[in-house]
Amino acid sequence: MPRSLRNPRDPCDPPENARPRRVAQRGRNTCRTAQDALPNATWITCLACFLRTQAHQILFNNCRCRLLFQKLMEKTGVLILCAFGFWIFSMHVPSKMEVWQDDSIDSPLQSLRMYQEKVQHHSGEIQDLRGNMTQLIAKLQLMEAMSDEQKMAQKIMKMIQGDYIEKPDFALKSIGASIDFEQTSATYNYDKARSCWNWIRLWNYGQPPDVILEPNVTPGNCWAFSGDRGQVTIRMAQKVYLSNLTLQHIPKTISLSGNLDTAPKDFVIYGMEGSPKEEVFLGAFQFQPENIIQMFPLQNQPVRAFGAVKVKISSNWGNPRFTCLYRVRVHGSVTPPREQPAQSSYPERD
């Protein structure tokens, strides 16, 4: 037991306030009594000291327990306050957490899902577009091949038909050219080309004169006039400075009769202008049926424009009943031709 916890007044010690005389008188008695009662006093004193020590320890432990209990209570209160605050926090925060989760997690996830769906949708569209592009490329290649084949076929047809005339045609019906019926011979009335009912003639299947202004040159699609002499006058849509005239007939290989005796032979070309019609001689020519397309440069080319052309046929190649014209083309320009400067026979001097 530490000295600080012992009682300052020990029973074994003499009292401080005792008088010296009494101590001197009773010194012997006390010592004698102490010697007699030494065994009993020592045991009692030890027991008292032990009990006192235990009591002090118990009190000290109680004090420590009290302090520990106080500290424990303080900490327990703090823990209770923390738990209460956490409970309040847990009661009010989840809604905010859910909102935060909705705003910070659900929205990005939804947007990511939407983007993923859009990407998948667009990828599908891209694949479809690729397929369509592949099909279009294949079709374009096929069309190019077909166009090449058509171009080759046209070239071959041109070579077969001999249609090498690459000049503007001012006698086309599609651009406004027409026939002057007053200056044109009558159409041949062929008996087998009539439509009859009970010996009553209804109409004639013969082609009119303006068929010669169309590019469709097939057997039977021609204008026929009676005999071997006739004429046709073509009115153009505008005045033209004439330079050439082309006649076209079907080849002998596709002729139904097997010959070309209905083709025109000798003919004369006139340019017509003014009222009354003024006829200007432009040339006399002969058509050779072996060449199905023939272009004739005009022998007389006056520097003036004409609004009409007359083709006057004086013979054919042997058919006494009628003559056929398949197509007539008129070439020239709407502007006056450029005059070429006359070249001097003398060389120029330096």
Side-chain angles (χ1 to χ4, degrees):
M1 192 70 185
R3 295 181 181 271
S4 60
L5 296 178
R6 291 181 182 178
N7 193 356
R9 294 184 63 182
D10 198 351
C12 296
D13 297 332
E16 295 180 357
N17 298 327
R19 295 179 180 180
R21 186 179 295 175
R22 186 180 293 179
V23 171
Q25 292 177 0
R26 294 181 182 178
R28 296 178 181 177
N29 295 328
T30 303
C31 293
R32 186 180 297 173
T33 304
Q35 289 178 358
D36 294 336
L38 182 62
N40 295 328
T42 302
W43 181 81
I44 292 170
T45 302
C46 291
L47 180 61
C49 292
F50 175 76
L51 292 174
R52 185 180 58 185
T53 303
Q54 293 297 322
H56 281 289
Q57 289 180 355
I58 291 170
L59 292 175
F60 179 75
N61 291 332
N62 288 334
C63 291
R64 291 183 63 186
C65 290
R66 186 180 297 173
L67 293 174
L68 290 174
F69 182 75
Q70 289 179 356
K71 291 181 180 180
L72 181 62
M73 288 299 293
E74 291 176 358
K75 292 182 179 179
T76 303
V78 172
L79 291 175
I80 291 171
L81 291 175
C82 292
F84 182 73
F86 180 76
W87 177 75
I88 294 174
F89 182 78
S90 64
M91 289 294 291
H92 293 281
V93 169
S95 59
K96 296 182 181 179
M97 292 290 290
E98 290 177 359
V99 173
W100 180 79
Q101 289 178 356
D102 292 337
D103 294 338
S104 61
I105 297 177
D106 293 340
S107 298
L109 288 176
Q110 290 179 359
S111 61
L112 287 174
R113 290 173 184 173
M114 292 175 63
Y115 288 143
Q116 185 177 5
E117 291 177 357
K118 289 182 180 180
V119 168
Q120 292 177 356
H121 180 68
H122 289 309
S123 63
E125 290 182 351
I126 290 170
Q127 291 179 358
D128 294 338
L129 288 174
R130 286 180 179 176
N132 294 331
M133 288 294 294
T134 305
Q135 293 178 0
L136 287 174
I137 290 171
K139 289 181 180 179
L140 287 174
Q141 292 177 353
L142 182 61
M143 290 175 66
E144 288 179 356
M146 290 177 64
S147 63
D148 293 339
E149 292 178 358
Q150 289 177 357
K151 289 178 182 178
M152 291 297 297
Q154 290 178 358
K155 289 181 180 179
I156 293 172
M157 289 299 295
K158 281 186 177 181
M159 293 177 65
I160 292 174
Q161 295 179 358
D163 191 356
Y164 297 104
I165 308 301
E166 296 181 353
K167 289 181 177 292
D169 183 9
F170 292 94
L172 277 173
K173 184 179 179 181
S174 60
I175 64 173
S178 61
I179 300 295
D180 186 356
F181 290 96
E182 294 180 357
Q183 301 289 330
T184 302
S185 300
T187 303
Y188 176 67
N189 292 323
Y190 185 41
D191 293 337
K192 293 183 179 180
R194 296 172 184 170
S195 177
C196 299
W197 179 73
N198 291 335
W199 302 99
I200 300 175
R201 187 174 67 181
L202 298 178
W203 60 78
N204 193 350
Y205 282 105
Q207 298 292 343
D210 56 1
V211 74
I212 67 174
L213 308 179
E214 298 176 354
N216 184 12
V217 180
T218 55
N221 192 35
C222 65
W223 173 64
F225 59 89
S226 180
D228 59 353
R229 292 177 179 272
Q231 66 182 19
V232 61
T233 302
I234 302 172
R235 289 184 302 197
M236 294 170 289
Q238 56 183 334
K239 292 183 178 182
V240 179
Y241 293 89
L242 302 175
S243 61
N244 306 86
L245 186 137
T246 300
L247 290 183
Q248 184 175 354
H249 202 79
I250 60 172
K252 185 178 181 179
T253 55
I254 64 174
S255 176
L256 299 180
S257 61
N259 55 53
L260 300 176
D261 57 354
T262 61
K265 185 178 181 180
D266 298 314
F267 63 97
V268 180
I269 302 174
Y270 296 95
M272 303 183 67
E273 182 60 33
S275 180
K277 298 292 184 181
E278 178 188 358
E279 297 183 359
V280 178
F281 176 80
L282 300 179
F285 308 96
Q286 187 178 83
F287 180 76
Q288 300 294 329
E290 290 81 10
N291 299 325
I292 60 176
I293 298 177
Q294 294 180 40
M295 184 174 65
F296 303 95
L298 300 181
Q299 298 169 359
N300 180 25
Q301 298 184 17
V303 186
R304 59 180 296 188
F306 295 97
V309 175
K310 178 187 284 187
V311 180
K312 191 172 184 178
I313 300 170
S314 58
S315 64
N316 64 15
W317 287 93
N319 193 309
R321 294 182 298 171
F322 59 90
T323 302
C324 289
L325 274 179
Y326 274 88
R327 187 178 180 189
V328 179
R329 309 184 196 183
V330 178
H331 310 294
S333 62
V334 294
T335 57
R338 296 179 181 177
E339 296 182 359
Q340 296 181 356
Q343 295 180 357
S344 176
S345 59
Y346 299 98
E348 295 182 357
R349 296 181 180 180
D350 296 337

